Amino acid sequence: MRLLKRITSWLFERETEDAAVGPPRSSARGAAADGELRARLLREAADHLAAGRSMQAGEVLAIVLRQRHDDVDALLLQGLTQKQQGLMEDAADSFLLAAHFQPDFGEAHYQLGLIATSQRDPAEAERHYRRALAADPRHAGVYVALGTLLIGRELLEAAADCFHKAIEIDPDSARAHSNLGALMAARLDRFDEAAPYLEKASRLAPDDPDVISNWAMYLQSRGELAESIALCDRLVEADPAAHIPRLNRGLALLKLGEFSRGWTDYEARKETGWPYGTRKFSFPEWQGEPLAGRLLTLDALTGSVSIHPVFRNPGCPSCGESPRIRLPLEASEYDQERSCVR
C-alpha cells in the first residue's frame, strides 16, 4: 500500500507538471486527449501492479511505450512490474532507460540501488542511492536503504543518522524505526534506547517479518523468551519458509533447554539470507543424541557451536540433585562455570 500511495502521488505530481507546461495551441486539444489517455493507462497499470497483477500491468504499459518509448514514468512502472516477476536484469534495464532519459529521476536511481544491493554490489548501490537523494532529498525509503548499506560497511553512526533522517521525513516508517532500534541494541551499545523504536515499529508493521524479527530478538535479549517465541510462532505460521524467525525461535528454545525443537529451528541458520547465509558453521551437528556430559555454547551472531566437557556437581543449585534455580535468567546470575564445568 505504501508503494501504491507513493506511485499515485508521484503520478499526480507529474501530471500537474505536464499541465503547467502545456502543449502548443495548435495541438492543445489532441495533446490533452493523449495526456488524459496516458494518465489513465498509467494509473491502471499502477493499480494492477499494487494488486500483484504484473501480467496485466505489463500489457497496459506496452500500449503507453508504443506511443512514446522514452516515457520515463511508464519505464519506471515497467521496471517495477518486471521486478515483481523476478526479472531483475530486465527491471534494471528499464530503470536504466528511465534514468538515461531523465538523469535526475530519483525513483529510478532508488530502484537501481535496491537491485545493486540485492546483487551484493554495495559501491554501485550507494552511488545510485546518493543520486536519488540528490534528486529527491525527502525520500525516506532511500535513507533507510542507504543506512542499511552503511551498516554493512561498519559506518554505524552514519547509518544511524540515515535512519533518524528517514524518521524525520516519515514518522511512520516502520523499517526506519526497526533498523535504528536493532542497530542501537546490537552494535551501538545503546540497548535501553532501542526499545521505543523497536516497539513502535512492531505496532506500525505487525505483519512485517523483518520488523517483528528484530523486536523478537530484542525481547529475547531482555530475557522475555516466551514473548519472543510467540512472535516467531506467528511469523512461521504465516510463512513456514521464514527462516530468520525460525532461527530466532530456535535460539530462544535452546536457552529454555528445549533442545529437540530448538535445534531443529536453529538449523534454519543455513537457509537464511544475509548475514547468516554467508557464514561457515561448526560441526558436529546435534542429531538427537543425549547431551549428558556436554555443555553447548552457541554464538547467535556467527552461528558457531562450542562443546565443553561437563562434570556434574551434585550440589549445584542449577543442575544438581536438588536444584533451586530453574529459569535461564536466574541461572545466568549464578556462576555455573565455577561449579560444574572443568
Side-chain angles (χ1 to χ4, degrees):
M1 289 301 296
R2 294 177 70 85
L3 176 62
L4 176 59
K5 286 176 65 177
R6 192 168 78 239
I7 291 173
T8 303
S9 173
W10 149 67
L11 285 174
F12 175 78
E13 292 173 1
R14 308 280 285 191
E15 291 167 17
T16 304
E17 291 172 3
D18 291 345
V21 174
R25 288 184 181 179
S26 59
S27 59
R29 185 173 300 175
D34 289 344
E36 290 173 4
L37 175 62
R38 171 185 174 276
R40 180 176 63 79
L41 291 172
L42 290 178
R43 287 178 180 273
E44 183 181 341
D47 289 341
H48 283 311
L49 181 63
R53 299 187 295 267
S54 55
M55 293 296 294
Q56 292 91 325
E59 291 169 359
V60 173
L61 292 169
I63 298 172
V64 179
L65 290 169
R66 277 199 297 269
Q67 297 296 318
R68 184 174 172 182
H69 73 281
D70 60 350
D71 190 314
V72 294
D73 300 330
L75 286 168
L76 178 69
L77 285 172
Q78 178 176 263
L80 292 172
T81 298
Q82 292 161 335
K83 188 176 175 182
Q84 191 177 86
Q85 295 171 330
L87 304 173
M88 292 302 178
E89 290 187 6
D90 292 341
D93 288 343
S94 294
F95 297 139
L96 282 169
L97 279 173
H100 170 74
F101 291 125
Q102 185 176 323
D104 63 346
F105 196 178
E107 189 69 23
H109 285 291
Y110 171 50
Q111 294 298 331
L112 285 166
L114 293 177
I115 289 178
T117 298
S118 71
Q119 296 174 339
R120 301 175 186 259
D121 188 346
E124 183 71 2
E126 182 175 355
R127 184 177 73 84
H128 283 297
Y129 289 148
R130 296 204 180 278
R131 291 195 65 178
L133 288 174
D136 182 7
R138 300 288 298 172
H139 195 313
V142 180
Y143 280 107
V144 173
L146 179 58
T148 304
L149 187 75
L150 293 176
I151 292 175
R153 295 181 52 197
E154 296 296 321
L155 299 174
L156 305 184
E157 292 295 345
D161 289 342
C162 284
F163 297 139
H164 278 298
K165 185 66 175 179
I167 292 170
E168 177 187 325
I169 296 168
D170 181 6
D172 291 334
S173 172
R175 287 297 180 97
H177 282 90
S178 182
N179 289 3
L180 178 59
L183 176 61
M184 285 178 165
R187 306 295 301 279
L188 293 178
D189 197 24
R190 292 156 63 184
F191 187 83
D192 292 336
E193 293 179 55
Y197 294 102
L198 291 165
E199 187 172 9
K200 181 172 182 177
S202 71
R203 294 196 307 270
L204 289 169
D207 298 319
D208 186 315
D210 293 332
V211 167
I212 300 304
S213 288
N214 282 345
W215 179 228
M217 279 303 293
Y218 183 82
L219 292 175
Q220 195 175 134
S221 299
R222 210 162 61 180
E224 300 176 37
L225 300 180
E227 292 82 354
S228 177
I229 290 171
L231 289 173
C232 294
D233 282 342
R234 180 162 61 82
L235 293 175
V236 174
E237 182 179 352
D239 179 12
H243 303 307
I244 290 179
R246 281 188 59 212
L247 170 63
N248 293 343
R249 183 175 66 181
L251 291 170
L253 289 167
L254 288 169
K255 290 176 183 177
L256 286 172
E258 297 188 28
F259 293 105
S260 182
R261 282 186 64 205
W263 202 274
T264 300
D265 276 347
Y266 183 68
E267 289 305 284
R269 63 200 165 127
K270 298 176 181 177
E271 303 172 56
T272 59
W274 182 91
Y276 299 102
T278 61
R279 309 277 178 148
K280 292 184 178 179
F281 303 104
S282 62
F283 292 89
E285 296 182 5
W286 186 60
Q287 302 296 333
E289 66 273 17
L291 294 175
R294 293 194 295 172
L295 172 67
L296 304 182
T297 58
L298 296 86
D299 187 322
L301 179 62
T302 65
S304 62
V305 180
S306 300
I307 301 176
H308 310 277
V310 175
F311 300 90
R312 188 167 177 268
N313 178 357
C316 176
S318 178
C319 62
E321 293 178 354
S322 302
R324 303 187 306 276
I325 301 176
R326 296 183 180 277
L327 297 177
L329 188 59
E330 295 177 22
S332 68
E333 299 170 358
Y334 180 78
D335 191 352
Q336 191 172 12
E337 182 178 350
R338 188 169 54 210
S339 63
C340 295
V341 183
R342 299 288 183 268

